[in-house]
Amino acid sequence: MARPEQVLLLEPQHELKFRGPFSDVVTTNLKLSNSTDRNVCFKVKTTAPRRYCVRPNSGIIDAGTSINVSVMLQPFEYDPNEKSKHKFMVQSVLAPPDMTDMEGVWKEAKPEELMDSKLRCVFDMPVENEKSHDMESNMSSSLLKSESSALPAKSPSSTLDYGEVKKIMEECKRLQMEAQRLREENKQIRHAPSSMKREEGLSSRSVALILLFFIIGVIVGKLVL
């Protein structure tokens, strides 16, 4: 059996429009008018209850009066490519003359006594805000690209200037002279007694190892800096 025609008049009738930007709560009003000579109970339902706050979402409209329902869309990240599938339904039923409990009326109402009207949600982003949103997205992506392309691969030739190269060359010359001195000392050690050889040999090797590590550390440090 078909449901009876809605006795309430809805303004707007088919769409609830929400105008952006959506960084804050956006409110639109739904007017419900009762043109009958009887009181009418109503409920406002939505397919996305977490996204909307509805006040009042239920109540009684006296005969010949109207009520404004505030539908508040909660803040969200607007995507112009995403189509809204949210819907609202206004359900109503004629209140009995001796009504004392509204919830009782809904529980006892028969399906053929219930009336409903459906509205869909439409998100309207102003052109200037949509352009601003697109520009921000484009600027962010462009900035990331430019920053990544502006960072050259770090190499010794690109990070060292002439003064640093000169310092390294001077350090290398000094180390070469030190190595030459160690070779001369090593020759002298060969002609020393065996006990002295072992002692001096160990000392020379220790000094050579220390200098080797020092050389490596200096060069690596220069290249990194």
Side-chain angles (χ1 to χ4, degrees):
M1 182 177 178
R3 290 191 176 186
E5 188 177 350
Q6 176 68 271
V7 295
L8 295 178
L9 298 177
L10 279 64
E11 296 180 33
Q13 293 184 347
H14 306 293
E15 294 181 343
L16 288 176
K17 291 186 178 181
F18 298 90
R19 187 172 177 80
F22 302 103
S23 55
D24 202 353
V25 175
V26 179
T27 303
T28 189
N29 292 318
L30 172 64
K31 184 178 181 180
L32 305 178
S33 300
N34 178 10
S35 59
T36 70
D37 57 357
R38 294 179 58 180
N39 294 346
V40 176
C41 299
F42 76 93
K43 284 184 178 181
V44 181
K45 301 179 179 180
T46 176
T47 57
R50 294 185 179 181
R51 298 285 295 274
Y52 300 89
C53 182
V54 182
R55 293 291 183 273
N57 59 3
S58 63
I60 301 172
I61 305 177
D62 295 335
T65 64
S66 61
I67 188 173
N68 283 322
V69 177
S70 295
V71 182
M72 291 163 277
L73 172 63
Q74 302 305 301
F76 73 103
E77 185 67 28
Y78 174 71
D79 183 358
N81 298 319
E82 181 182 354
K83 299 296 182 181
S84 173
K85 298 180 181 179
H86 303 165
K87 291 182 175 62
F88 275 81
M89 181 176 73
V90 178
Q91 199 171 44
S92 63
V93 62
L94 292 172
D98 57 348
M99 184 194 73
T100 56
D101 178 19
M102 186 176 66
E103 288 302 320
V105 172
W106 288 107
K107 289 179 181 178
E108 296 173 7
K110 298 176 182 179
E112 59 269 19
E113 296 175 338
L114 299 175
M115 298 164 281
D116 60 58
S117 300
K118 294 182 175 64
L119 303 96
R120 69 187 187 94
C121 298
V122 177
F123 298 151
D124 181 20
M125 176 67 86
V127 176
E128 59 271 18
N129 290 96
E130 191 165 351
K131 287 181 179 178
S132 176
H133 182 272
D134 293 339
M135 285 177 64
E136 287 178 2
S137 301
N138 293 335
M139 285 177 65
S140 298
S141 59
S142 299
L143 184 60
L144 288 174
K145 289 180 181 178
S146 62
E147 285 181 352
S148 60
S149 60
L151 291 175
K154 195 170 184 179
S155 64
S157 59
S158 62
T159 56
L160 293 178
D161 58 20
Y162 175 77
E164 290 173 330
V165 173
K166 186 177 180 181
K167 287 180 182 178
I168 293 175
M169 294 297 293
E170 290 176 353
E171 189 70 14
C172 287
K173 285 182 180 180
R174 190 184 66 79
L175 292 173
Q176 286 175 356
M177 292 175 64
E178 188 67 20
Q180 180 63 30
R181 186 181 65 80
L182 288 174
R183 282 195 293 269
E184 293 296 330
E185 289 182 1
N186 191 37
K187 289 179 182 179
Q188 295 176 6
I189 290 170
R190 289 178 183 176
H191 301 288
S194 59
S195 59
M196 185 182 263
K197 257 188 204 179
R198 285 194 300 270
E199 184 178 347
E200 294 293 335
L202 288 172
S203 175
S204 299
R205 282 195 294 273
S206 299
V207 172
L209 285 173
I210 291 171
L211 285 172
L212 179 60
F213 286 127
F214 175 76
I215 294 169
I216 294 172
V218 169
I219 294 174
V220 171
K222 293 290 185 180
L223 293 178
V224 171
L225 294 175

